[in-house]
Amino acid sequence: MKIAFLSFPEQSELLISELKNRFGISQKPDERFGELLYYENLTFKKNQAGDFELPYWARTVMLEPFFLEYKSISDAANSLKAIQRNWAPYQFTLFRKAELIQKKLPYINLKERNFPCEIPSSEIGLYTLIDETHLIASAKTNSYLPAGALTFKEDHENPPSRAYLKIQESLVMAKLLNGTPFPDSSSSCFEAGACPGGWTWVLTNLGAKVFAVDRSELDAKLMKNPLVKFLAHDAFTLKPQDVENEFGKVDWVFSDVICYPERLLEWIKNWIEYKSNIKMICTIKMQGEINWPLIDEFKKINGSRIVHLNYNKHELTWIHT
């Protein structure tokens, strides 16, 4: 099949490594357009649901790519509009020309977003200018996000760490993929390894109560927040029943702890065994070479999804909702 993978920024080599080590695909791309890797003839297996298993390190995938010759900006825009309404650009060259083409296409939101936000679950195509008269495009992709990217307007003053962007993106993705509502004033959350409090800051801004556990205290403002209860402890040694005995009923469990994936998996399974319908978001931190059979064990947990976020680096995010 013809297929093209758009990697996350500056992570195309990680994408190629995933194709080799997870899928056994060692062939080189037939063409590389910046961070877009195009394969003319690639065999991809479908899962039991009949869907393609696609690489995590691709922020979006051109599932039916084609090449188009165009004579002018208007010609390019009209050709794309004749196929479907929604198109997003990825550009590595000819940025001004791509901007002018995009202005002639129906409007879609390409701006940074304010959190909380919702993403429309509508089909969106992807196109990339190759040179002055040729582009590559695909009306069908695997993402509802423009060019697979979700970015937020950053708050450089209030959050105690930049990690807050990961939980914002995770919560938006959980709602987009599974329809899961954001935590709110009726929600009780347990956060493991919460210091310095970036994730707690997001949750309390949504109105949720947070039981934050870490060996070190949170940011001073969060320690005074009436929605926060803090315990100085190793969060992974607390049993789920101990957490609820201390804090009360828990609706959400969060972890951005730096630990071996094996330990995280064991901890997650303890929570799922205790309360199968618990909502959880956890970062899987990679330690060197990725153990793909181990990642599959996370994926096998009923009701879970694994994604690579725009704000992830050498890590994946596990979502159970």
Side-chain angles (χ1 to χ4, degrees):
M1 63 181 293
K2 295 180 180 179
I3 195 167
F5 306 102
L6 179 59
S7 78
F8 285 89
E10 300 179 1
Q11 296 185 30
S12 56
E13 294 309 311
L14 284 171
L15 171 56
I16 290 173
S17 175
E18 180 184 359
L19 290 172
K20 179 180 179 181
N21 296 315
R22 181 182 170 205
F23 296 97
I25 298 171
S26 57
Q27 71 184 79
K28 295 181 179 179
D30 292 275
E31 299 281 357
R32 293 185 69 156
F33 308 110
E35 293 175 324
L36 182 67
L37 312 181
Y38 171 73
Y39 292 82
E40 182 69 28
N41 187 15
L42 198 64
T43 300
F44 244 86
K45 296 180 180 179
K46 293 186 177 183
N47 59 24
Q48 292 180 348
D51 300 320
F52 289 110
E53 292 282 351
L54 297 171
Y56 301 121
W57 259 266
R59 54 175 156 147
T60 191
V61 180
M62 287 183 168
L63 296 171
E64 297 176 357
F66 62 89
F67 292 91
L68 176 71
E69 183 176 2
Y70 64 94
K71 298 176 182 178
S72 65
I73 289 168
S74 294
D75 184 38
N78 290 335
S79 297
L80 293 173
K81 284 190 290 186
I83 298 170
Q84 70 177 29
R85 180 192 186 279
N86 295 332
W87 291 94
Y90 159 69
Q91 280 317 118
F92 69 102
T93 187
L94 300 171
F95 298 96
R96 177 57 178 163
K97 177 169 280 192
E99 181 182 353
L100 294 174
I101 291 172
Q102 191 63 32
K103 286 181 178 180
K104 289 184 174 293
L105 292 169
Y107 174 80
I108 60 169
N109 186 3
L110 298 175
K111 298 178 181 178
E112 294 179 331
R113 299 170 190 264
N114 291 308
F115 179 83
C117 64
E118 294 190 27
I119 308 298
S121 55
S122 54
E123 297 286 343
I124 187 164
L126 178 70
Y127 70 94
T128 297
L129 301 190
I130 298 171
D131 56 37
E132 293 285 353
T133 56
H134 296 86
L135 61 81
I136 181 173
S138 177
K140 187 175 182 180
T141 67
N142 73 320
S143 176
Y144 296 128
L145 300 169
L150 177 59
T151 56
F152 297 104
K153 292 180 180 177
E154 294 194 32
D155 184 337
H156 297 284
E157 297 180 4
N158 297 301
S161 74
R162 199 167 179 270
Y164 80 95
L165 294 162
K166 280 192 286 187
I167 188 173
Q168 288 185 342
E169 187 178 0
S170 299
L171 291 170
V172 171
M173 293 302 293
K175 189 161 191 178
L176 175 62
L177 296 172
N178 300 332
T180 308
F182 297 131
D184 57 22
S185 58
S186 67
S187 305
S188 296
C189 307
F190 167 52
E191 185 187 352
C195 178
W199 287 31
T200 298
W201 178 81
V202 171
L203 294 168
T204 55
N205 281 344
L206 290 171
K209 300 184 290 294
V210 181
F211 181 34
V213 178
D214 204 324
R215 288 193 175 97
S216 301
E217 289 191 350
L218 308 182
D219 177 81
K221 290 181 181 179
L222 286 171
M223 293 295 292
K224 298 176 183 177
N225 190 319
L227 291 174
V228 177
K229 181 175 182 177
F230 176 78
L231 176 66
H233 203 281
D234 180 352
F236 275 17
T237 64
L238 291 176
K239 296 179 180 179
Q241 52 266 41
D242 295 335
V243 172
E244 292 204 328
N245 288 338
E246 178 73 23
F247 185 60
K249 178 178 174 289
V250 173
D251 307 301
W252 285 86
V253 174
F254 297 93
S255 170
D256 193 33
V257 173
I258 298 174
C259 68
Y260 287 105
E262 293 88 346
R263 190 182 186 202
L264 176 64
L265 179 62
E266 179 183 2
W267 182 74
I268 285 172
K269 286 183 174 180
N270 287 337
W271 270 99
I272 299 295
E273 183 178 351
Y274 175 73
K275 184 182 286 189
S276 62
N277 64 342
I278 191 74
K279 295 184 283 288
M280 300 183 73
I281 294 178
C282 303
T283 307
I284 307 172
K285 309 276 187 175
M286 306 305 171
Q287 306 289 331
E289 193 71 28
I290 299 174
N291 183 341
W292 288 111
L294 179 61
I295 300 302
D296 282 341
E297 292 302 310
F298 285 89
K299 188 174 65 173
K300 289 176 183 176
I301 297 173
N302 190 41
S304 64
R305 304 283 291 265
I306 296 178
V307 296
H308 184 282
L309 302 174
N310 184 59
Y311 293 105
N312 281 146
K313 297 303 181 184
H314 192 52
E315 56 194 13
L316 295 169
T317 295
W318 177 82
I319 301 173
H320 182 268
T321 56

